[in-house]
Amino acid sequence: MDDGGTQTMTMTTKHRRPELAAFLRSRRARVTPADVGMPPGLRRRTPGLRREEVAQLSGVGVTWYTWLKQGRPINASPQVLDAVARTLRLDPPEREHLYHLAEVPYEPDPEAMARVVGPDIQGIIDALDPRPAAVYNLRYDILATNAAYRDLFAVPEALARGVANVLWTMFTVPDEECPVVHRERELPMMVATFRSSYGRHVGEPAWEDFIRALSACSPRFEELWASGEVLPPGPRVKTFRHEAVGELRMSTVSLSINGMPECRIVAYVPEGEEATGKVARLRERRQRLWPQSDEAAEVIRRWNAKYPVP
């Protein structure tokens, strides 16, 4: 088994290195000296930057960059790859592609993640009201919500902590504050699904810090994480509760988003007329209690803001 795994990794690296070299050459060719404030110089064969210039601008040795460009099996740190990405003016998808080709764990730019949900996607989830809907990433960070989602899931204690993450809420609020019924049944499934996504992010600081912090706050999460269970994502039927309407059963529908490969829209669809009526009552309650009020705006701001994990 070990020999087969090693052989697979070797073959993967063998194919990635030439692709990395070709990618760097193509990105270097499109950046002119004028783009980076350098004189064009004489006897330049191509309009793009020379590898010596990329190395100088990135603060790395010429030999190291040449080896990287040639696809040699060298180790590259995130700091060095970020410097090369800045010099070559890579956009976020290109930066991620560079990391994968160099076989370095990729961590998205936090500022880019904060802007990842544009008005078009926000408009789509807003249009799903009165069905609750949100945009999650693979770590269950809450990137955007609609008003119906906040009606059902705006947990005061979670809002006070300022951590916009489903797992964090589920594992850290008291039972009476948790909007999910049958938490003991749901929590193992969520952690197993979370682990299936973790496999492609092993070693990335944002993921490792999150797991370490939640384990410190929740012995139950630490226990479930240590179990090693893995479960693929899929549709679920869950029972939720709200103090104003009681319990309601809802199914989840997950939709992928073009241009956001690790994010998804999750919509919650009421199961049956009773649940549909309760969701409608929550909407009426919101319109009655928070008609364009500052309180509603504050709840919206806190759910959609990007907070670091403590």
Side-chain angles (χ1 to χ4, degrees):
M1 289 294 290
D2 290 343
D3 290 343
T6 302
Q7 184 176 6
T8 299
M9 292 178 64
T10 302
M11 290 299 295
T12 300
T13 299
K14 182 178 178 180
H15 284 86
R16 282 183 178 174
R17 291 300 180 177
E19 180 63 24
L20 172 61
F23 178 67
L24 288 172
R25 283 195 299 269
S26 67
R27 301 306 91 178
R28 178 166 59 89
R30 72 179 185 179
V31 182
T32 68
D35 290 334
V36 294
M38 298 180 67
L42 301 175
R43 304 176 65 178
R44 185 177 291 272
R45 298 179 184 178
T46 65
L49 295 176
R50 299 186 178 101
R51 61 173 178 266
E52 295 84 358
E53 293 166 339
V54 174
Q56 177 185 351
L57 292 168
S58 303
V60 300
V62 176
T63 300
W64 185 94
Y65 179 78
T66 301
W67 287 358
L68 179 68
K69 183 184 75 69
Q70 291 174 346
R72 295 197 188 188
I74 61 173
N75 293 324
S77 69
Q79 293 78 11
V80 170
L81 289 181
D82 282 345
V84 172
R86 285 191 296 270
T87 298
L88 298 179
R89 301 191 167 193
L90 303 186
D91 60 23
E94 291 172 331
R95 176 177 176 267
E96 180 177 359
H97 188 58
L98 172 64
Y99 267 66
H100 290 323
L101 292 177
E103 299 181 281
V104 173
Y106 173 72
E107 180 179 2
D109 179 358
E111 294 185 4
M113 287 301 297
R115 299 188 297 269
V116 75
V117 179
D120 291 345
I121 301 302
Q122 183 66 55
I124 290 172
I125 63 174
D126 286 341
L128 292 173
D129 193 350
R131 293 180 178 85
V135 177
Y136 301 142
N137 62 15
L138 293 182
R139 203 169 55 233
Y140 285 101
D141 292 326
I142 304 168
L143 303 182
T145 65
N146 67 5
Y149 183 97
R150 296 185 293 271
D151 289 342
L152 187 57
F153 298 117
V155 181
E157 185 166 332
L159 289 172
R161 285 194 173 98
V163 181
N165 181 278
V166 176
L167 279 174
W168 197 276
T169 298
M170 291 281 287
F171 278 96
T172 60
V173 301
D175 285 338
E176 61 272 16
E177 292 281 352
C178 184
V180 177
V181 183
H182 311 305
R183 186 155 67 159
E184 281 307 303
R185 183 183 68 193
E186 298 294 339
L187 291 182
M189 297 175 65
M190 289 189 67
V191 174
T193 303
F194 174 64
R195 182 179 286 280
S196 71
S197 301
Y198 169 73
R200 73 188 73 173
H201 294 281
V202 174
E204 294 180 12
W207 285 72
E208 301 297 344
D209 290 347
F210 178 84
I211 293 167
R212 187 163 42 249
L214 186 50
S215 296
C217 288
S218 171
R220 180 56 174 157
F221 174 82
E222 184 177 31
E223 175 189 353
L224 291 174
W225 185 251
S227 71
E229 295 294 327
V230 178
L231 186 69
R236 303 277 190 269
V237 176
K238 300 182 180 182
T239 302
F240 302 101
R241 61 185 163 208
H242 191 282
E243 60 179 0
V245 298
E247 295 186 2
L248 60 167
R249 281 170 54 85
M250 308 187 80
S251 60
T252 62
V253 178
S254 184
L255 307 171
S256 61
I257 306 173
N258 287 339
M260 299 168 60
E262 296 203 342
C263 298
R264 65 197 187 280
I265 294 174
V266 177
Y268 297 81
V269 182
E271 290 276 301
E273 293 183 4
E274 182 180 2
T276 300
K278 289 181 177 181
V279 170
R281 284 163 54 192
L282 285 175
R283 186 184 191 185
E284 293 168 358
R285 177 176 180 269
R286 178 218 318 158
Q287 294 171 339
R288 183 177 69 255
L289 296 179
W290 295 341
Q292 305 298 322
S293 70
D294 291 340
E295 184 179 2
E298 175 65 10
V299 171
I300 294 170
R301 184 193 69 78
R302 296 180 72 173
W303 267 112
N304 289 336
K306 296 297 167 288
Y307 292 96
V309 174

